[in-house]
């Protein structure tokens, strides 16, 4: 009876006993400096802000601070950080984590196999994309996207998990302690991040980072 109850408890919490997994895709170019660096968020076009925008930026700023990045006025900041996020209805199907050239990196990718909706059990894909631009020449030096699937229609519940995943490492690198991530034609690499979700007010804890198989 005890094993059955344990399995039922695991099924009740959608993240499961093993934690929550997210997919991360990274594109890096030479030029991203580490250590204490300054940054400013790029201004969003008028009319696109949503009520959670301040929370997105605050979560990213808190995480960047752990890697030595310091917020500064835009005219003097070394990097401009463009933040975008998206939520889309997804089908229950096998998914290719890579982004298409015609869609924003981190957006739910095309399905590789047909799926079917479970009655009353819709699945949603939430994504976060961060792009770092060098202020001196406007060149993009780093881009990272994180994608999480769940059954919550609002992205607000996924903010902390997506930020923790996208910034689990700064930067993610193709070779890290012998790890070899799968590289696309454009040099982007893909990673799987495992999170331990805490209480409502606790930040997710990164418990594992592994490269996607080649």
């Amino acid at each position: 009876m005890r094993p059955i109850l344990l399995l039922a408890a695991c099924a009740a919490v959608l993240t499961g006993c093993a934690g929550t997994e997210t997919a991360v895709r990274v594109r890096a170019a030479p030029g991203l400096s580490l250590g204490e660096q300054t940054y400013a968020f790029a201004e969003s076009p008028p009319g696109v802000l949503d009520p959670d925008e301040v929370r997105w930026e605050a979560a990213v700023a808190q995480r960047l601070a752990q890697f030595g990045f310091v917020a500064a006025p835009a005219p003097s900041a070394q990097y401009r950080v463009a933040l975008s996020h998206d939520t889309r209805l997804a089908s229950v199907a096998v998914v290719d984590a890579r982004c298409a050239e015609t869609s924003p990196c981190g957006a739910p990718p095309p399905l590789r196999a047909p799926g079917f909706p479970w009655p009353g059990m819709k699945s949603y894909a939430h994504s976060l994309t961060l792009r770092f631009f060098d202020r001196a020449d406007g060149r993009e030096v780093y881009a990272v996207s994180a994608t999480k699937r769940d059954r919550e229609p609002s992205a607000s519940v996924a903010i902390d998990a997506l930020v923790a995943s996208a910034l689990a490492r700064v930067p993610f690198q193709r070779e890290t302690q012998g790890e070899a991530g799968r590289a696309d034609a454009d040099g982007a690499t893909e990673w799987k991040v495992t999170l331990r979700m805490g209480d409502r007010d606790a930040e997710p804890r990164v418990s594992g980072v592994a490269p996607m198989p080649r």
Side-chain angles (χ1 to χ4, degrees):
M1 178 65 69
R2 182 175 297 177
I4 295 177
L5 292 176
L6 178 60
L7 290 174
C10 290
V13 290
L14 298 178
T15 55
C17 290
T20 295
E21 292 184 350
T22 59
V24 174
R25 186 172 189 263
V26 180
R27 182 175 64 251
L32 181 66
S33 301
L34 302 181
E36 185 171 326
Q37 306 296 332
T38 57
Y39 74 95
F41 287 108
E43 295 182 0
S44 301
V48 301
L49 295 180
D50 62 46
D52 288 323
E53 204 68 31
V54 173
R55 185 181 165 196
W56 281 102
E57 292 192 358
V60 170
Q62 181 176 353
R63 194 77 182 183
L64 284 176
Q66 298 176 17
F67 291 94
F69 287 80
V70 179
S76 61
Q78 181 173 353
Y79 297 110
R80 298 297 296 274
V81 179
L83 183 160
S84 60
H85 52 87
D86 182 53
T87 293
R88 296 185 183 183
L89 186 64
S91 299
V92 178
V94 178
V95 170
D96 186 338
R98 289 173 290 184
C99 343
E101 291 294 333
T102 56
S103 64
C105 189
L111 300 178
R112 291 192 305 184
F116 59 91
W118 294 355
M121 300 282 282
K122 294 182 179 179
S123 178
Y124 296 86
H126 311 288
S127 64
L128 165 68
T129 298
L130 298 172
R131 302 174 67 194
F132 290 70
F133 297 88
D134 192 297
R135 177 178 59 86
D137 56 14
R139 181 173 58 96
E140 180 186 283
V141 295
Y142 189 69
V144 58
S145 298
T147 302
K148 178 180 182 294
R149 293 172 68 107
D150 56 34
R151 295 190 177 95
E152 296 290 341
S154 172
S156 61
V157 298
I159 291 177
D160 293 333
L162 289 173
V163 172
S165 298
L167 300 176
R169 292 177 177 174
V170 180
F172 282 83
Q173 297 185 11
R174 189 175 303 177
E175 301 288 340
T176 304
Q177 298 180 349
E179 296 175 343
R182 179 173 62 188
D184 293 340
D186 62 356
T189 54
E190 299 172 21
W191 304 80
K192 179 179 70 174
V193 176
T194 304
L195 303 169
R196 290 289 182 182
M197 307 302 290
D199 297 331
R200 180 179 297 271
D201 297 329
E203 293 184 9
R205 181 173 60 87
V206 177
S207 59
V209 177
M212 294 289 190
R214 289 183 183 272

